[in-house]
Amino acid sequence: MEVMMLKKPTIVILGAGYGGMITAVKLQKSLGINEANVTLVNKHSYHYQTTWLHENAAGTLHHDRTRIQIKDVVDPGKINLIQDTVTAIHPENKKVTLENGELDYDYLVIGLGFEAETFGISGLKEHAFTIGSINSARLIRQHIEYNFAKYNNEKEKKQERLNLVVGGAGFTGIEFAGELANRVPELCKEYDIPREKVRIITVEAAPTALPGFDPELVEYAMNRLEAKGVEFRIGAMIKEVTADKLIYEKDDQREEIPTNTVVWAAGVRGNPLVEEAGIEANRGRVKVREDLRPSEYDDVFIVGDCALIINEETNRPYPPTAQIAIQQAENTAANLKRLVQGQTHLEPFTPDLKGTVASLGSKDAIGVVFGDKKLFGWSASAMKKVIDNRYLLKLGGIGLVLKKGKLNFLNL
Amino acid sequence: MEVMMLKKPTIVILGAGYGGMITAVKLQKSLGINEANVTLVNKHSYHYQTTWLHENAAGTLHHDRTRIQIKDVVDPGKINLIQDTVTAIHPENKKVTLENGELDYDYLVIGLGFEAETFGISGLKEHAFTIGSINSARLIRQHIEYNFAKYNNEKEKKQERLNLVVGGAGFTGIEFAGELANRVPELCKEYDIPREKVRIITVEAAPTALPGFDPELVEYAMNRLEAKGVEFRIGAMIKEVTADKLIYEKDDQREEIPTNTVVWAAGVRGNPLVEEAGIEANRGRVKVREDLRPSEYDDVFIVGDCALIINEETNRPYPPTAQIAIQQAENTAANLKRLVQGQTHLEPFTPDLKGTVASLGSKDAIGVVFGDKKLFGWSASAMKKVIDNRYLLKLGGIGLVLKKGKLNFLNL
């Protein structure tokens, strides 16, 4: 036993999203610095809450509220922080290639997040925006503002500058449309544009908005958003996006919306680096074993959007949510501790779904909690903030909640 | 005499810039509503202080500080306000054509302001911005921000997004460069861009910056701006502007600056509607008689940027400043009162130059006041604010100073 302890194992965590950050924070607490070398690799010096990005993109919340400097919650004296971009994973050699270097590992945690899945729709990749990072979110915010700023500078008014199209009325699309509905009146005031000139149009291919949600909640959400001026095109397939229009097909009719702003919120896939590493995956998501390791490798764990686990009740995959990523990270950190301490039995992962709440702009939301309790309006909105704050508490304690939390939940 | 009073003369004022607004406000005070019908025509519902627009364009001052709703200072019960765009003036028929109507007048005041003069430089009109209105100023602000927002979203970093070029180191160019120097650090913070990547480059064709200013003041201004990171290309002729570069020639060498942002601050001309009306003008400026009427018409007054008057001491035209426009308007309002009241003798206009102060960003400026007193730094900056506040006092009384004034001049 003593001999084994002499060589400290190296744990490398790729990505400081929900999964990577919670893994790092849990290991920092549970492992002594003599037990393992832990390295966290991330492209930026900061972590961000992906579930808040739609607010940054709409311009209703500043992105500095959404991001957290990694070193503010991860102690660089205990965990080695590397700011770099992962370019390749070589699990057969236990190596990771970075833009500016290479790392060896004994155990690897992959938490590299998602990318947009564009399903081959023509022009979508080139012309649509996606809400995927601080950079892309603030670009969307500025893109919308820039178009509003240009509108009154042109003799011939261009409606495409004021038509904002959201691709997808799923969770993210609905949340983003809700924020836009709150933001547009501010933008109209800022740029002297009559509110009625601006359109927010949500295009959804499925036969309903918020597929998978309770119909009563869906109806509430649509009514509330429509009352704020959001239009819905349901059962409408996007066919093509260009620099100044979107074409969709509904009931065998082709329709065109002049627009410079399409925000695609209808499909994500796991990071392609995972497949490129030779790990079997479907759209970048790996069907992991019950302890979150891919079938091919015992020294690799996958958490978050790159991991696919099946809900046995419905026989369908769990959606890749922050909630599940966080729980996977906690499970993985505990299993890594077992491995480092020489145990061989790993605990299986079991999701513990607390509920789902989708915001509809400020002070309004819908959700399901405690299994089947439906929430509407301010109570759902308050619950959403409670969930957000619980995460911050888990990540960085009460100090972080006070610094970055959404503390106005009693003041609705 | 009584018979003449029965038909009230109609006075039409075109443009609510410095000249038009002061004419209107003075007439509102000095003429009874039974003496004349006064109409003020303006494109927007608001007046703005052209001399503050460079701050709005840089993003250091919000444009709502710069503009004033016309009805907040002009009483619509006394003066008829028309929000419309002038499309033609027909002085031979005493008519003005608007986009949505036509007006007859007995007396006309033309205060239609300036346009950029691009001297036929290739691409300048298409690709350069000019600081001419609230709309164009906030577009510049957003254009710069949008380029900063895009920078980190592109794999291949484009330096042209971060090179800000100011065409001209005259009064406006220097003031704008000074504001940009203050704004850039904020933008760098907002968009995670290292300050040293951003360049502010001022290109001036004349052999000196601030031509016409005292050399000691010019040196002070250049030193202070250079210390804040502004680069100067003096004696450099702009040859061409495209969407992503500017080409200039200096010492027979052609140089290229990659840039998406060229702000042209090196030439203005009077509104072309004046020439189109058949009034003789040079670059839109009419050499008016000493009572500010053009030689062709006795019922037309021209104030502000469209009027050209010669400084007899130097035998050169006075530059078209806010200060002179305001004084011309006061003179014109007094002369209109004389005409309405049946007098035939009009008072000649004599400019009373109080001085000139150019700001170099916050808390710094240069200027000449009281004929030959040079000011530097905080005293010049304070003087600039005093001048700005005096105008507001004249326009709308102490209430307007408190609402829109620059009141932090003691807190430097």
Side-chain angles (χ1 to χ4, degrees):
Chain A
M1 193 68 182
E2 186 117 45
V3 177
M4 284 184 66
M5 293 295 280
L6 282 175
K7 187 191 175 297
K8 285 196 290 184
T10 294
I11 300 171
V12 172
I13 304 166
L14 303 183
Y18 292 102
M21 280 297 275
I22 291 290
T23 305
V25 165
K26 291 290 171 189
L27 288 179
Q28 164 176 293
K29 278 189 200 150
S30 64
L31 283 185
I33 51 169
N34 293 320
E35 290 185 285
N37 294 312
V38 183
T39 294
L40 175 61
V41 181
N42 196 54
K43 204 190 303 191
H44 306 111
S45 63
Y46 54 83
H47 159 73
Y48 53 83
Q49 298 205 57
T50 310
T51 58
W52 294 12
L53 287 175
H54 64 285
E55 298 175 58
N56 310 145
T60 48
L61 182 79
H62 193 268
H63 54 263
D64 281 341
R65 288 286 305 281
T66 295
R67 65 178 167 180
I68 296 158
Q69 289 300 319
I70 295 170
K71 65 175 170 42
D72 287 352
V73 286
V74 174
D75 180 354
K78 293 178 175 166
I79 292 187
N80 184 28
L81 299 177
I82 296 181
Q83 189 183 336
D84 205 340
T85 301
V86 179
T87 55
I89 304 166
H90 309 283
E92 71 291 356
N93 306 323
K94 299 183 167 237
K95 278 186 196 304
V96 174
T97 312
L98 309 177
E99 238 167 49
N100 305 298
E102 197 177 65
L103 295 172
D104 294 306
Y105 65 78
D106 295 302
Y107 301 108
L108 184 70
V109 180
I110 299 177
L112 287 170
F114 71 91
E115 277 199 356
E117 170 63 83
T118 55
F119 305 112
I121 295 169
S122 170
L124 197 57
K125 205 171 168 184
E126 296 77 13
H127 300 295
F129 294 86
T130 51
I131 305 174
S133 64
I134 295 285
N135 273 322
S136 68
R138 68 188 160 193
L139 179 59
I140 292 169
R141 177 192 75 190
Q142 290 308 120
H143 176 82
I144 294 170
E145 275 213 56
Y146 192 39
N147 275 282
F148 275 60
K150 276 192 168 171
Y151 183 76
N152 275 327
N153 278 279
E154 290 162 328
K155 250 212 144 83
E156 202 181 321
K157 299 285 179 265
K158 295 183 175 169
Q159 183 58 35
E160 57 266 38
R161 300 209 182 278
L162 306 184
N163 285 350
L164 309 175
V165 180
V166 183
F171 196 92
T172 306
I174 287 290
E175 286 202 316
F176 181 56
E179 294 301 319
L180 276 183
N182 282 1
R183 177 65 175 147
V184 160
E186 295 173 9
L187 287 171
C188 287
K189 188 161 177 289
E190 179 70 11
Y191 296 101
D192 301 325
I193 291 168
R195 170 65 186 88
E196 64 273 15
K197 298 254 184 220
V198 181
R199 295 173 66 191
I200 304 168
I201 306 166
T202 299
V203 181
E204 170 61 51
T208 172
L210 288 168
F213 270 68
D214 180 281
E216 195 188 353
L217 295 176
V218 174
E219 197 188 328
Y220 176 90
M222 287 183 71
N223 285 342
R224 294 303 292 256
L225 291 184
E226 281 174 342
K228 290 194 204 183
V230 176
E231 303 171 45
F232 287 93
R233 304 284 184 274
I234 301 296
M237 292 283 291
I238 297 177
K239 291 293 178 188
E240 191 186 347
V241 179
T242 73
D244 58 6
K245 66 175 181 298
L246 175 140
I247 295 165
Y248 68 86
E249 204 171 281
K250 181 178 155 73
D251 305 329
D252 293 328
Q253 297 279 351
R254 278 173 88 84
E255 303 282 347
E256 192 176 306
I257 305 173
T259 179
N260 291 339
T261 307
V262 176
V263 177
W264 178 244
V268 296
R269 48 157 294 144
N271 194 309
L273 287 171
V274 178
E275 296 154 293
E276 288 163 28
I279 300 172
E280 195 187 327
N282 183 11
R283 289 206 176 113
R285 300 188 75 192
V286 178
K287 200 169 164 193
V288 287
R289 287 180 271 168
E290 61 177 11
D291 54 20
L292 303 175
R293 292 185 290 183
S295 57
E296 299 96 331
Y297 298 100
D298 282 347
D299 45 15
V300 175
F301 293 82
I302 303 180
V303 296
D305 303 326
C306 299
L308 183 85
I309 51 173
I310 299 293
N311 182 341
E312 288 179 1
E313 281 176 40
T314 62
N315 204 29
R316 290 175 55 190
Y318 285 103
T321 64
Q323 193 180 152
I324 285 183
I326 293 161
Q327 294 176 4
Q328 289 173 334
E330 292 174 318
N331 194 81
T332 296
N335 279 337
L336 282 166
K337 182 177 171 169
R338 289 186 185 94
L339 288 171
V340 165
Q341 295 182 340
Q343 298 180 40
T344 50
H345 172 73
L346 300 188
E347 279 295 316
F349 171 65
T350 321
D352 174 20
L353 297 189
K354 309 281 189 199
T356 309
V357 185
S359 87
L360 304 171
S362 82
K363 303 182 193 180
D364 203 356
I366 52 163
V368 181
V369 291
F370 313 125
D372 59 357
K373 168 117 184 74
K374 290 184 237 175
L375 294 179
F376 301 86
W378 73 266
S379 60
S381 181
M383 181 61 80
K384 179 100 181 165
K385 294 191 174 81
V386 169
I387 293 168
D388 288 338
N389 292 335
R390 282 189 70 230
Y391 168 66
L392 291 172
L393 187 66
K394 191 169 278 192
L395 187 67
I398 192 71
L400 191 61
V401 176
L402 292 173
K403 200 170 153 190
K404 301 278 181 172
K406 294 192 172 171
L407 301 173
N408 59 339
F409 57 93
L410 293 175
N411 179 26
L412 300 161
Chain B
M1 193 70 184
E2 185 116 46
V3 178
M4 283 182 67
M5 295 294 282
L6 282 176
K7 185 190 176 297
K8 283 197 290 182
T10 293
I11 299 171
V12 172
I13 305 167
L14 303 182
Y18 292 102
M21 280 297 274
I22 292 290
T23 305
V25 165
K26 291 290 169 189
L27 288 179
Q28 165 175 291
K29 277 189 204 150
S30 65
L31 283 186
I33 52 169
N34 292 322
E35 291 185 284
N37 295 311
V38 183
T39 294
L40 175 61
V41 182
N42 196 54
K43 205 191 300 192
H44 306 112
S45 64
Y46 53 84
H47 159 71
Y48 53 84
Q49 299 204 57
T50 311
T51 58
W52 295 12
L53 288 175
H54 64 285
E55 299 176 57
N56 310 145
T60 48
L61 182 80
H62 192 269
H63 55 262
D64 281 341
R65 288 286 305 282
T66 296
R67 64 179 168 179
I68 296 157
Q69 290 299 321
I70 295 170
K71 64 176 172 38
D72 287 352
V73 285
V74 174
D75 180 354
K78 292 179 177 166
I79 292 188
N80 183 28
L81 299 179
I82 296 182
Q83 189 183 336
D84 206 338
T85 300
V86 180
T87 56
I89 305 167
H90 309 284
E92 71 291 357
N93 305 324
K94 297 179 169 242
K95 277 186 198 302
V96 174
T97 313
L98 310 177
E99 237 167 51
N100 305 298
E102 197 177 66
L103 294 173
D104 293 304
Y105 65 78
D106 295 300
Y107 300 107
L108 184 70
V109 180
I110 300 177
L112 288 170
F114 70 91
E115 276 200 358
E117 169 63 82
T118 56
F119 304 112
I121 295 169
S122 170
L124 196 58
K125 204 171 169 185
E126 296 76 14
H127 300 295
F129 294 86
T130 51
I131 305 174
S133 64
I134 294 285
N135 273 322
S136 68
R138 67 187 162 195
L139 179 59
I140 293 169
R141 178 192 75 191
Q142 290 308 119
H143 176 82
I144 293 170
E145 275 212 57
Y146 192 40
N147 276 282
F148 275 60
K150 276 192 167 170
Y151 184 77
N152 276 327
N153 279 280
E154 290 162 326
K155 254 217 141 73
E156 202 181 322
K157 300 285 180 265
K158 296 183 175 167
Q159 183 57 36
E160 57 265 38
R161 299 208 182 279
L162 307 184
N163 286 349
L164 309 175
V165 180
V166 182
F171 197 91
T172 307
I174 286 291
E175 287 201 316
F176 181 56
E179 295 300 319
L180 277 183
N182 283 359
R183 176 66 174 145
V184 160
E186 294 173 10
L187 287 171
C188 287
K189 188 160 178 288
E190 179 71 10
Y191 295 102
D192 301 325
I193 291 168
R195 170 64 185 88
E196 63 274 15
K197 299 254 185 219
V198 181
R199 295 173 66 190
I200 304 168
I201 306 165
T202 299
V203 181
E204 170 61 51
T208 172
L210 288 168
F213 270 70
D214 179 282
E216 194 188 357
L217 295 175
V218 175
E219 198 189 328
Y220 176 89
M222 286 183 73
N223 285 341
R224 295 304 292 254
L225 291 184
E226 281 175 341
K228 290 194 204 183
V230 176
E231 302 170 46
F232 288 94
R233 304 284 183 275
I234 301 297
M237 291 284 290
I238 297 177
K239 291 294 177 185
E240 191 185 347
V241 180
T242 73
D244 59 6
K245 67 175 182 296
L246 174 140
I247 295 164
Y248 68 85
E249 204 171 280
K250 181 177 155 75
D251 305 329
D252 292 328
Q253 297 278 350
R254 276 173 90 85
E255 303 281 348
E256 193 175 304
I257 305 173
T259 179
N260 290 340
T261 308
V262 176
V263 177
W264 177 245
V268 296
R269 49 158 292 144
N271 194 310
L273 287 170
V274 177
E275 294 154 296
E276 288 163 27
I279 300 172
E280 195 187 328
N282 182 13
R283 292 207 175 113
R285 300 188 75 192
V286 178
K287 201 171 163 191
V288 287
R289 288 180 269 169
E290 61 176 12
D291 54 19
L292 303 175
R293 292 185 291 185
S295 58
E296 299 95 332
Y297 298 100
D298 282 345
D299 45 13
V300 176
F301 292 82
I302 304 180
V303 295
D305 302 327
C306 299
L308 182 85
I309 51 172
I310 299 293
N311 182 341
E312 288 177 4
E313 280 175 41
T314 62
N315 203 29
R316 291 176 55 189
Y318 283 102
T321 63
Q323 194 180 151
I324 285 184
I326 293 162
Q327 293 176 4
Q328 289 174 334
E330 291 174 320
N331 195 79
T332 296
N335 280 336
L336 282 166
K337 181 177 173 169
R338 288 187 187 96
L339 288 171
V340 165
Q341 296 183 339
Q343 297 179 40
T344 50
H345 171 74
L346 300 189
E347 278 297 314
F349 171 64
T350 321
D352 173 20
L353 297 189
K354 310 279 190 200
T356 309
V357 185
S359 87
L360 305 170
S362 83
K363 303 182 193 181
D364 204 355
I366 51 162
V368 180
V369 290
F370 312 125
D372 59 356
K373 168 120 185 71
K374 291 184 234 176
L375 294 178
F376 302 86
W378 72 266
S379 59
S381 181
M383 181 60 81
K384 178 99 181 167
K385 294 190 174 81
V386 168
I387 293 169
D388 288 338
N389 292 336
R390 282 188 70 230
Y391 168 66
L392 291 172
L393 186 68
K394 192 168 277 190
L395 187 67
I398 192 71
L400 191 62
V401 176
L402 292 174
K403 199 170 156 193
K404 301 278 181 174
K406 294 192 172 172
L407 301 174
N408 59 340
F409 58 92
L410 292 175
N411 179 26
L412 298 162

Short mmCIF file of all heavy atoms in Angstrom, two decimals, chain A residues 2 4 14 24 50 76 81 111 121 139 142 159 166 168 173 205 207 224 255 257 287 296 305-306 323 335 366:
data_model
loop_
_atom_site.label_atom_id
_atom_site.label_comp_id
_atom_site.label_asym_id
_atom_site.label_seq_id
_atom_site.Cartn_x
_atom_site.Cartn_y
_atom_site.Cartn_z
N GLU A 2 1.84 1.30 0.82
CA GLU A 2 2.70 2.48 0.92
C GLU A 2 3.39 2.77 -0.41
O GLU A 2 3.49 3.91 -0.84
CB GLU A 2 3.77 2.26 2.00
CG GLU A 2 4.62 3.50 2.28
CD GLU A 2 4.43 3.99 3.71
OE1 GLU A 2 4.45 3.15 4.61
OE2 GLU A 2 4.24 5.22 3.91
N MET A 4 2.37 2.09 -3.42
CA MET A 4 1.43 2.67 -4.37
C MET A 4 1.25 4.16 -4.15
O MET A 4 1.08 4.93 -5.08
CB MET A 4 0.06 2.00 -4.24
CG MET A 4 -0.01 0.63 -4.88
SD MET A 4 -1.69 -0.04 -4.77
CE MET A 4 -2.59 1.09 -5.81
N LEU A 14 -11.14 18.08 -18.20
CA LEU A 14 -11.23 18.92 -19.40
C LEU A 14 -12.55 19.70 -19.39
O LEU A 14 -13.62 19.11 -19.47
CB LEU A 14 -11.14 18.07 -20.66
CG LEU A 14 -9.89 17.18 -20.80
CD1 LEU A 14 -9.92 16.44 -22.13
CD2 LEU A 14 -8.63 18.01 -20.66
N ALA A 24 -14.01 19.40 -9.95
CA ALA A 24 -12.80 20.01 -9.38
C ALA A 24 -13.03 20.46 -7.94
O ALA A 24 -12.20 20.20 -7.05
CB ALA A 24 -12.37 21.20 -10.24
N THR A 50 -24.15 28.27 -18.21
CA THR A 50 -24.77 28.16 -19.54
C THR A 50 -26.26 28.47 -19.48
O THR A 50 -26.82 29.04 -20.42
CB THR A 50 -24.55 26.73 -20.06
OG1 THR A 50 -23.18 26.41 -19.91
CG2 THR A 50 -24.92 26.62 -21.52
N PRO A 76 -5.85 27.49 -6.62
CA PRO A 76 -4.71 27.10 -7.48
C PRO A 76 -3.58 26.45 -6.68
O PRO A 76 -2.70 25.82 -7.27
CB PRO A 76 -4.25 28.43 -8.09
CG PRO A 76 -5.35 29.41 -7.82
CD PRO A 76 -6.04 28.94 -6.58
N LEU A 81 -4.40 24.94 -12.52
CA LEU A 81 -5.30 25.51 -13.52
C LEU A 81 -4.53 25.81 -14.80
O LEU A 81 -3.51 26.49 -14.76
CB LEU A 81 -5.93 26.80 -13.00
CG LEU A 81 -6.78 26.70 -11.74
CD1 LEU A 81 -7.28 28.08 -11.31
CD2 LEU A 81 -7.95 25.75 -11.96
N GLY A 111 -15.46 16.96 -19.72
CA GLY A 111 -16.64 17.80 -19.49
C GLY A 111 -16.62 18.94 -20.50
O GLY A 111 -16.65 20.10 -20.13
N ILE A 121 -29.21 22.00 -42.09
CA ILE A 121 -30.10 23.03 -42.69
C ILE A 121 -29.23 24.07 -43.40
O ILE A 121 -28.28 24.61 -42.82
CB ILE A 121 -30.97 23.69 -41.60
CG1 ILE A 121 -31.92 22.67 -40.99
CG2 ILE A 121 -31.74 24.88 -42.18
CD1 ILE A 121 -32.65 23.14 -39.75
N LEU A 139 -22.18 38.65 -28.38
CA LEU A 139 -22.24 39.00 -29.80
C LEU A 139 -23.69 39.11 -30.27
O LEU A 139 -24.05 40.02 -31.01
CB LEU A 139 -21.48 37.97 -30.64
CG LEU A 139 -21.50 38.23 -32.15
CD1 LEU A 139 -20.89 39.58 -32.51
CD2 LEU A 139 -20.76 37.10 -32.89
N GLN A 142 -25.07 42.37 -29.06
CA GLN A 142 -24.58 43.51 -29.85
C GLN A 142 -25.10 43.48 -31.28
O GLN A 142 -25.33 44.52 -31.88
CB GLN A 142 -23.05 43.54 -29.84
CG GLN A 142 -22.47 43.91 -28.50
CD GLN A 142 -23.05 45.18 -27.93
OE1 GLN A 142 -23.64 45.18 -26.84
NE2 GLN A 142 -22.93 46.29 -28.65
N GLN A 159 -36.97 46.06 -42.76
CA GLN A 159 -37.68 45.32 -41.72
C GLN A 159 -36.84 44.17 -41.18
O GLN A 159 -36.99 43.76 -40.02
CB GLN A 159 -39.03 44.82 -42.26
CG GLN A 159 -39.89 44.10 -41.25
CD GLN A 159 -40.22 44.95 -40.02
OE1 GLN A 159 -40.40 46.17 -40.10
NE2 GLN A 159 -40.28 44.30 -38.86
N VAL A 166 -36.29 33.24 -33.53
CA VAL A 166 -35.72 32.23 -32.65
C VAL A 166 -36.02 30.87 -33.28
O VAL A 166 -37.18 30.54 -33.53
CB VAL A 166 -36.34 32.32 -31.24
CG1 VAL A 166 -35.69 31.29 -30.31
CG2 VAL A 166 -36.20 33.73 -30.68
N GLY A 168 -36.60 27.32 -32.85
CA GLY A 168 -36.88 26.33 -31.81
C GLY A 168 -37.65 26.91 -30.64
O GLY A 168 -37.30 27.96 -30.11
N GLY A 173 -35.21 28.01 -26.45
CA GLY A 173 -35.87 28.95 -27.35
C GLY A 173 -36.95 29.75 -26.64
O GLY A 173 -37.07 30.96 -26.83
N ALA A 205 -40.33 23.18 -35.27
CA ALA A 205 -40.69 22.09 -36.19
C ALA A 205 -41.68 21.10 -35.58
O ALA A 205 -42.54 20.55 -36.27
CB ALA A 205 -39.43 21.34 -36.61
N PRO A 207 -44.89 19.53 -33.39
CA PRO A 207 -46.29 19.96 -33.44
C PRO A 207 -46.71 20.79 -32.23
O PRO A 207 -47.85 21.23 -32.13
CB PRO A 207 -47.08 18.65 -33.51
CG PRO A 207 -46.13 17.58 -33.10
CD PRO A 207 -44.74 18.08 -33.25
N ARG A 224 -48.68 33.60 -22.37
CA ARG A 224 -47.96 34.70 -21.74
C ARG A 224 -46.98 35.35 -22.72
O ARG A 224 -46.85 36.57 -22.75
CB ARG A 224 -47.23 34.20 -20.49
CG ARG A 224 -48.18 33.75 -19.37
CD ARG A 224 -49.15 34.85 -18.98
NE ARG A 224 -48.47 35.95 -18.32
CZ ARG A 224 -48.51 36.17 -17.02
NH1 ARG A 224 -49.24 35.40 -16.24
NH2 ARG A 224 -47.85 37.17 -16.48
N GLU A 255 -42.75 29.73 -46.53
CA GLU A 255 -42.91 31.11 -46.07
C GLU A 255 -41.52 31.70 -45.85
O GLU A 255 -40.58 31.00 -45.52
CB GLU A 255 -43.69 31.17 -44.74
CG GLU A 255 -45.05 30.54 -44.77
CD GLU A 255 -46.11 31.42 -45.44
OE1 GLU A 255 -45.82 32.63 -45.66
OE2 GLU A 255 -47.20 30.91 -45.75
N ILE A 257 -39.32 34.85 -43.94
CA ILE A 257 -39.28 35.95 -42.97
C ILE A 257 -38.01 36.76 -43.25
O ILE A 257 -36.91 36.23 -43.12
CB ILE A 257 -39.23 35.44 -41.52
CG1 ILE A 257 -40.39 34.48 -41.23
CG2 ILE A 257 -39.23 36.60 -40.54
CD1 ILE A 257 -40.29 33.81 -39.85
N LYS A 287 -22.78 6.86 -24.93
CA LYS A 287 -23.62 6.06 -24.03
C LYS A 287 -22.70 5.42 -22.98
O LYS A 287 -22.07 4.38 -23.22
CB LYS A 287 -24.36 5.00 -24.84
CG LYS A 287 -25.57 4.47 -24.13
CD LYS A 287 -26.45 3.62 -25.02
CE LYS A 287 -27.41 2.82 -24.16
NZ LYS A 287 -28.09 1.77 -24.91
N GLU A 296 -15.10 1.72 -23.68
CA GLU A 296 -13.73 1.41 -24.12
C GLU A 296 -12.66 1.64 -23.07
O GLU A 296 -11.59 1.04 -23.13
CB GLU A 296 -13.36 2.28 -25.34
CG GLU A 296 -14.23 2.08 -26.57
CD GLU A 296 -15.36 3.10 -26.67
OE1 GLU A 296 -15.81 3.57 -25.60
OE2 GLU A 296 -15.80 3.41 -27.78
N ASP A 305 -22.80 17.28 -21.07
CA ASP A 305 -23.45 17.17 -22.38
C ASP A 305 -22.89 16.07 -23.27
O ASP A 305 -23.56 15.65 -24.22
CB ASP A 305 -23.33 18.50 -23.14
CG ASP A 305 -23.92 19.65 -22.36
OD1 ASP A 305 -24.93 19.42 -21.65
OD2 ASP A 305 -23.40 20.77 -22.46
N CYS A 306 -21.67 15.60 -22.99
CA CYS A 306 -21.07 14.55 -23.82
C CYS A 306 -21.49 13.15 -23.35
O CYS A 306 -21.17 12.16 -24.00
CB CYS A 306 -19.56 14.66 -23.83
SG CYS A 306 -18.97 16.23 -24.51
N GLN A 323 -28.49 20.35 -14.18
CA GLN A 323 -28.81 19.54 -12.99
C GLN A 323 -28.13 18.18 -13.04
O GLN A 323 -27.49 17.74 -12.08
CB GLN A 323 -30.33 19.38 -12.95
CG GLN A 323 -30.88 18.86 -11.66
CD GLN A 323 -32.42 18.76 -11.75
OE1 GLN A 323 -33.00 17.93 -11.08
NE2 GLN A 323 -33.06 19.55 -12.56
N ASN A 335 -16.14 8.77 -7.09
CA ASN A 335 -15.52 7.57 -7.67
C ASN A 335 -14.01 7.75 -7.87
O ASN A 335 -13.23 6.82 -7.67
CB ASN A 335 -16.19 7.19 -8.99
CG ASN A 335 -17.50 6.43 -8.75
OD1 ASN A 335 -17.69 5.83 -7.68
ND2 ASN A 335 -18.40 6.47 -9.72
N ILE A 366 -42.60 28.82 -15.90
CA ILE A 366 -43.40 27.62 -15.69
C ILE A 366 -42.46 26.52 -15.24
O ILE A 366 -41.26 26.57 -15.50
CB ILE A 366 -44.09 27.14 -16.99
CG1 ILE A 366 -43.05 27.01 -18.11
CG2 ILE A 366 -45.24 28.02 -17.38
CD1 ILE A 366 -43.50 26.18 -19.27
#
